[in-house]
Amino acid sequence: SWLNSGGMVELLNAFDHVFLECEVETDNVNSTSEWQSAAIELVRSIRSVGHKHPIKVGAPLGGRQVKYPLAGGKTVLEADPLKNTLFTWQAYWKQATSTGWSYQSDNGFRTGIEGTKEALAACANSGLCFIPGFDWRDDVGPTGVLELMAHAHTLGLSYQFWVLFGDGMYPENNMLGHWNLSPGSITPSGAAVQKALLAQRQFAIL
Protein backbone atom coordinates (compact mmCIF):
# COMPACT_ATOMS: atom_id res chain seq x y z
CA SER A 1 0.00 0.00 0.00
CA TRP A 2 2.94 2.33 0.67
CA LEU A 3 4.58 1.63 -2.68
CA ASN A 4 1.27 2.03 -4.52
CA SER A 5 0.26 5.36 -2.98
CA GLY A 6 -0.15 8.18 -5.48
CA GLY A 7 2.73 10.19 -4.11
CA MET A 8 5.14 7.28 -4.47
CA VAL A 9 4.07 6.55 -8.05
CA GLU A 10 4.61 10.16 -9.07
CA LEU A 11 7.93 10.41 -7.24
CA LEU A 12 9.48 7.19 -8.53
CA ASN A 13 8.29 7.59 -12.11
CA ALA A 14 10.13 10.94 -12.20
CA PHE A 15 13.54 9.26 -11.82
CA ASP A 16 15.68 7.16 -14.14
CA HIS A 17 17.60 4.01 -13.16
CA VAL A 18 15.06 2.74 -10.61
CA PHE A 19 13.73 -0.73 -10.06
CA LEU A 20 10.98 -1.59 -7.60
CA GLU A 21 11.88 -4.22 -5.02
CA CYS A 22 8.89 -5.09 -2.89
CA GLU A 23 8.95 -8.82 -2.08
CA VAL A 24 12.34 -10.54 -2.33
CA GLU A 25 11.27 -13.14 0.25
CA THR A 26 7.84 -14.11 -1.03
CA ASP A 27 5.29 -16.15 0.89
CA ASN A 28 6.08 -19.86 1.13
CA VAL A 29 4.22 -22.00 -1.39
CA ASN A 30 4.08 -25.64 -2.45
CA SER A 31 3.86 -25.31 -6.22
CA THR A 32 4.93 -23.18 -9.16
CA SER A 33 1.31 -22.30 -9.88
CA GLU A 34 0.86 -20.89 -6.37
CA TRP A 35 4.01 -18.79 -6.75
CA GLN A 36 2.90 -17.60 -10.19
CA SER A 37 -0.50 -16.50 -8.95
CA ALA A 38 0.93 -14.47 -6.10
CA ALA A 39 3.66 -12.93 -8.29
CA ILE A 40 1.19 -12.00 -11.00
CA GLU A 41 -1.10 -10.37 -8.42
CA LEU A 42 1.87 -8.37 -7.10
CA VAL A 43 2.97 -7.21 -10.56
CA ARG A 44 -0.53 -6.29 -11.70
CA SER A 45 -1.25 -4.33 -8.51
CA ILE A 46 1.90 -2.26 -9.02
CA ARG A 47 1.19 -1.65 -12.71
CA SER A 48 -2.47 -0.81 -12.10
CA VAL A 49 -1.55 2.35 -10.16
CA GLY A 50 0.82 3.59 -12.87
CA HIS A 51 4.35 2.46 -11.93
CA LYS A 52 6.59 2.31 -15.02
CA HIS A 53 9.88 0.99 -13.66
CA PRO A 54 11.04 -2.65 -13.61
CA ILE A 55 9.56 -4.74 -10.81
CA LYS A 56 11.81 -7.27 -9.06
CA VAL A 57 10.03 -10.44 -7.89
CA GLY A 58 11.59 -12.82 -5.41
CA ALA A 59 11.28 -16.41 -4.25
CA PRO A 60 9.90 -18.41 -1.29
CA LEU A 61 11.73 -19.94 1.68
CA GLY A 62 13.50 -16.76 2.68
CA GLY A 63 14.10 -15.90 -0.96
CA ARG A 64 16.05 -19.12 -1.58
CA GLN A 65 13.83 -21.36 -3.72
CA VAL A 66 14.88 -20.29 -7.20
CA LYS A 67 13.07 -23.25 -8.76
CA TYR A 68 9.80 -21.34 -8.76
CA PRO A 69 10.87 -18.21 -10.67
CA LEU A 70 12.91 -20.45 -13.01
CA ALA A 71 9.84 -22.54 -13.79
CA GLY A 72 7.17 -19.85 -13.70
CA GLY A 73 8.89 -16.56 -14.41
CA LYS A 74 7.96 -16.39 -18.09
CA THR A 75 4.27 -16.53 -17.23
CA VAL A 76 4.72 -13.72 -14.71
CA LEU A 77 6.63 -11.65 -17.25
CA GLU A 78 3.88 -12.14 -19.82
CA ALA A 79 1.32 -10.92 -17.28
CA ASP A 80 3.20 -7.63 -16.90
CA PRO A 81 1.64 -5.19 -19.40
CA LEU A 82 5.01 -3.45 -19.73
CA LYS A 83 6.98 -6.74 -19.96
CA ASN A 84 9.43 -5.19 -17.48
CA THR A 85 9.78 -7.69 -14.64
CA LEU A 86 13.04 -8.87 -13.05
CA PHE A 87 13.55 -11.92 -10.86
CA THR A 88 15.77 -12.64 -7.91
CA TRP A 89 16.71 -15.25 -5.32
CA GLN A 90 19.06 -15.21 -2.37
CA ALA A 91 21.99 -17.54 -3.01
CA TYR A 92 22.52 -18.24 0.68
CA TRP A 93 22.78 -22.00 0.32
CA LYS A 94 24.46 -24.33 2.82
CA GLN A 95 25.99 -27.72 2.13
CA ALA A 96 24.04 -30.95 2.45
CA THR A 97 22.81 -31.82 5.94
CA SER A 98 23.19 -35.18 7.67
CA THR A 99 19.77 -36.11 6.24
CA GLY A 100 20.96 -35.43 2.71
CA TRP A 101 18.70 -32.40 2.25
CA SER A 102 20.20 -29.23 0.78
CA TYR A 103 18.97 -26.04 -0.85
CA GLN A 104 20.79 -27.16 -3.98
CA SER A 105 19.12 -30.57 -4.21
CA ASP A 106 15.72 -29.14 -3.25
CA ASN A 107 16.00 -26.85 -6.26
CA GLY A 108 17.18 -29.56 -8.62
CA PHE A 109 20.96 -29.06 -8.59
CA ARG A 110 24.03 -30.87 -7.27
CA THR A 111 24.91 -30.34 -3.62
CA GLY A 112 27.65 -27.92 -2.59
CA ILE A 113 28.85 -24.74 -4.18
CA GLU A 114 28.98 -26.41 -7.61
CA GLY A 115 25.22 -26.79 -7.38
CA THR A 116 24.88 -23.10 -6.53
CA LYS A 117 26.91 -22.31 -9.64
CA GLU A 118 24.57 -24.54 -11.66
CA ALA A 119 21.63 -22.52 -10.36
CA LEU A 120 23.33 -19.28 -11.44
CA ALA A 121 23.90 -20.76 -14.90
CA ALA A 122 20.23 -21.76 -15.08
CA CYS A 123 19.30 -18.15 -14.33
CA ALA A 124 21.67 -16.86 -17.00
CA ASN A 125 20.23 -19.30 -19.56
CA SER A 126 16.57 -18.84 -18.62
CA GLY A 127 15.73 -16.07 -21.06
CA LEU A 128 14.68 -13.96 -18.05
CA CYS A 129 16.46 -11.15 -16.24
CA PHE A 130 17.72 -12.51 -12.92
CA ILE A 131 19.60 -10.46 -10.31
CA PRO A 132 20.61 -12.93 -7.57
CA GLY A 133 21.50 -11.75 -4.10
CA PHE A 134 24.79 -12.64 -2.39
CA ASP A 135 26.06 -12.17 1.14
CA TRP A 136 29.25 -13.12 2.95
CA ARG A 137 27.68 -15.14 5.77
CA ASP A 138 24.18 -16.18 6.76
CA ASP A 139 22.52 -18.82 8.92
CA VAL A 140 24.19 -21.30 6.54
CA GLY A 141 27.64 -20.05 7.48
CA PRO A 142 30.07 -18.65 4.89
CA THR A 143 28.44 -18.68 1.45
CA GLY A 144 31.50 -18.71 -0.81
CA VAL A 145 30.50 -15.30 -2.08
CA LEU A 146 33.72 -14.36 -3.86
CA GLU A 147 33.66 -17.59 -5.87
CA LEU A 148 29.98 -17.07 -6.67
CA MET A 149 30.54 -13.44 -7.70
CA ALA A 150 33.32 -14.51 -10.04
CA HIS A 151 31.14 -17.23 -11.56
CA ALA A 152 28.19 -14.89 -12.03
CA HIS A 153 30.50 -12.48 -13.83
CA THR A 154 31.64 -15.17 -16.27
CA LEU A 155 27.95 -15.82 -17.02
CA GLY A 156 27.21 -12.15 -17.66
CA LEU A 157 24.85 -12.22 -14.69
CA SER A 158 24.33 -9.09 -12.62
CA TYR A 159 23.89 -9.44 -8.85
CA GLN A 160 23.48 -7.50 -5.62
CA PHE A 161 25.50 -7.81 -2.41
CA TRP A 162 24.05 -7.59 1.11
CA VAL A 163 24.87 -5.05 2.56
CA LEU A 164 26.54 -1.64 2.56
CA PHE A 165 25.90 -1.25 6.31
CA GLY A 166 23.34 -2.34 8.86
CA ASP A 167 23.60 -6.10 9.38
CA GLY A 168 23.87 -6.46 13.15
CA MET A 169 23.58 -10.25 13.14
CA TYR A 170 26.39 -11.04 10.69
CA PRO A 171 28.88 -8.14 10.72
CA GLU A 172 30.95 -9.74 7.93
CA ASN A 173 28.17 -8.73 5.54
CA ASN A 174 28.76 -5.03 6.18
CA MET A 175 31.00 -3.44 3.57
CA LEU A 176 31.34 -0.38 5.80
CA GLY A 177 31.72 -0.56 9.55
CA HIS A 178 30.11 2.68 10.69
CA TRP A 179 26.68 4.26 10.29
CA ASN A 180 28.23 7.44 8.81
CA LEU A 181 29.11 5.32 5.73
CA SER A 182 32.60 6.75 5.54
CA PRO A 183 34.84 4.97 3.00
CA GLY A 184 37.48 4.97 5.72
CA SER A 185 35.41 2.47 7.71
CA ILE A 186 35.59 -0.23 5.04
CA THR A 187 35.68 -3.72 6.53
CA PRO A 188 37.94 -6.63 5.48
CA SER A 189 35.03 -8.31 3.71
CA GLY A 190 34.04 -4.97 2.20
CA ALA A 191 37.54 -4.51 0.83
CA ALA A 192 37.42 -8.00 -0.71
CA VAL A 193 34.04 -7.34 -2.33
CA GLN A 194 35.20 -3.92 -3.54
CA LYS A 195 38.28 -5.49 -5.13
CA ALA A 196 36.14 -8.05 -6.93
CA LEU A 197 33.68 -5.44 -8.18
CA LEU A 198 36.42 -3.15 -9.44
CA ALA A 199 38.06 -6.04 -11.28
CA GLN A 200 34.75 -6.89 -12.95
CA ARG A 201 33.72 -3.39 -14.00
CA GLN A 202 33.53 -2.57 -17.68
CA PHE A 203 32.30 0.32 -19.75
CA ALA A 204 28.82 0.15 -21.15
CA ILE A 205 28.66 -0.22 -24.92
CA LEU A 206 25.79 1.70 -26.48
Side-chain angles (χ1 to χ4, degrees), residues 57-123:
V57 177
L61 194 64
R64 300 182 193 189
Q65 281 185 316
V66 69
K67 62 185 178 183
Y68 293 122
L70 279 171
K74 289 183 179 178
T75 301
V76 176
L77 178 63
E78 286 302 312
D80 180 355
L82 299 185
K83 304 297 185 286
N84 203 9
T85 301
L86 317 175
F87 299 93
T88 190
W89 62 291
Q90 297 182 160
Y92 313 159
W93 283 1
K94 68 176 86 178
Q95 308 302 315
T97 65
S98 58
T99 64
W101 185 93
S102 69
Y103 287 103
Q104 290 91 336
S105 60
D106 186 64
N107 283 270
F109 304 101
R110 287 185 293 169
T111 57
I113 197 166
E114 293 306 316
T116 312
K117 291 179 181 178
E118 288 177 356
L120 294 174
C123 292

